[in-house]
Amino acid sequence: QVQLVESGGGVVQPGRSLKLSCAASGFTFNSYAMHWVRQAPGKGLEWVALIPYDGSHGYYADSVKGRFTISRDNFRSTLSLQMDGLTPEDTAVYYCAKDPKMGGYDSYLEYWGLGTLVTVSS
Amino acid sequence: QSALTQPASMSGSPGQSITISCTGTRNDIGSYNLVSWYQQHPGKAPKLIIQEVTKRPSGVPIRFSGSKSGNTASLTISGLQAEDEAEYHCCSYAGGNTYVFGSGTQVTVL
């Protein structure tokens, strides 16, 4: 079965960096696009970034563009999110999620991990 | 990329029906029949319950249904059950390989 396990969250000071990881299993990782989605405390979900199956490009929400970088290691079946210039507004649970379409993109997120909490505070 | 608008909370008694609205713009919901809905219980991962406006993934109960009119999508839960108490999130494709989620709706079963 599909499993997505996020890690790397923690408490970080404003302006600092943090890198999140998502370990994937139960499917052919190198065939599917992957997403990061976040949820601030008491708020709704916010789509953050998308990377195609081959890692050729990243697509970002305006709120993180230029500060966050999505990447993947298809040999290790791992998705990453490098977060630079963090602000308190980036405090959230960060989820990785699998796209359902092999070799392309679809319009929904098929499977989700349990998330990892990032707290940006001095 | 402004969040889609959902009511913050809704409630109903077991057996009743409720409809959650999700209002966007002509740039997202209004332009694409690509709205999805997710159910999230406390401390759990979101679960896909509706894709492409009206389609139910395998295993999702028939009491969940979706629709769309103009810039607004809706999720109806017919015959509310205790296990339906959760937060519900809508999502729309917004073009350029980007997506926008709603503000979330907490559903309480009385």
Side-chain angles (χ1 to χ4, degrees):
Chain A
Q1 70 281 20
V2 172
Q3 276 203 310
L4 300 169
V5 180
E6 302 91 339
S7 61
V11 180
V12 61
Q13 292 180 329
R16 304 298 290 264
S17 299
L18 198 64
K19 186 172 184 177
L20 306 182
S21 295
C22 171
S25 61
F27 64 102
T28 307
F29 182 75
N30 60 14
S31 295
Y32 293 90
M34 297 292 293
H35 302 255
W36 284 101
V37 177
R38 68 184 180 182
Q39 185 171 28
K43 303 290 187 180
L45 298 170
E46 180 186 12
W47 178 80
V48 172
L50 160 68
I51 188 168
Y53 69 98
D54 61 0
S56 58
H57 192 69
Y59 301 91
Y60 301 92
D62 289 344
S63 58
V64 307
K65 198 173 296 183
R67 299 188 300 123
F68 288 13
T69 303
I70 189 172
S71 63
R72 63 192 297 157
D73 183 338
N74 283 344
F75 291 103
R76 293 181 172 82
S77 298
T78 301
L79 175 72
S80 297
L81 185 68
Q82 175 67 42
M83 304 185 294
D84 299 323
L86 286 162
T87 73
E89 288 68 40
D90 296 315
T91 294
V93 174
Y94 285 74
Y95 298 96
C96 67
K98 173 186 173 292
D99 194 281
K101 188 172 183 177
M102 181 179 285
Y105 310 115
D106 214 313
S107 63
Y108 55 96
L109 284 65
E110 185 181 27
Y111 292 101
W112 299 60
L114 288 175
T116 187
L117 176 61
V118 173
T119 303
V120 184
S121 174
S122 53
Chain B
Q1 294 176 344
S2 297
L4 308 175
T5 301
Q6 297 180 235
S9 62
M10 299 191 72
S11 62
S13 299
Q16 286 187 329
S17 295
I18 63 169
T19 297
I20 303 169
S21 62
C22 171
T23 301
T25 70
R26 62 182 180 180
N27 296 319
D28 37 63
I29 293 177
S31 290
Y32 308 96
N33 288 323
L34 297 174
V35 177
S36 51
W37 289 88
Y38 304 84
Q39 177 192 61
Q40 186 179 26
H41 289 104
K44 297 294 184 72
K47 174 190 173 186
L48 176 70
I49 57 172
I50 295 289
Q51 65 194 61
E52 295 167 312
V53 180
T54 61
K55 300 177 182 178
R56 265 188 325 276
S58 174
V60 174
I62 195 171
R63 65 180 181 275
F64 291 95
S65 62
S67 62
K68 191 192 96 166
S69 177
N71 297 338
T72 298
S74 299
L75 172 72
T76 297
I77 309 175
S78 304
L80 205 56
Q81 298 188 8
E83 61 262 35
D84 299 334
E85 183 161 301
E87 188 163 20
Y88 292 83
H89 307 273
C90 61
C91 177
S92 175
Y93 182 69
N97 291 320
T98 67
Y99 302 74
V100 60
F101 278 91
S103 43
T105 299
Q106 177 63 45
V107 169
T108 300
V109 181
L110 302 171

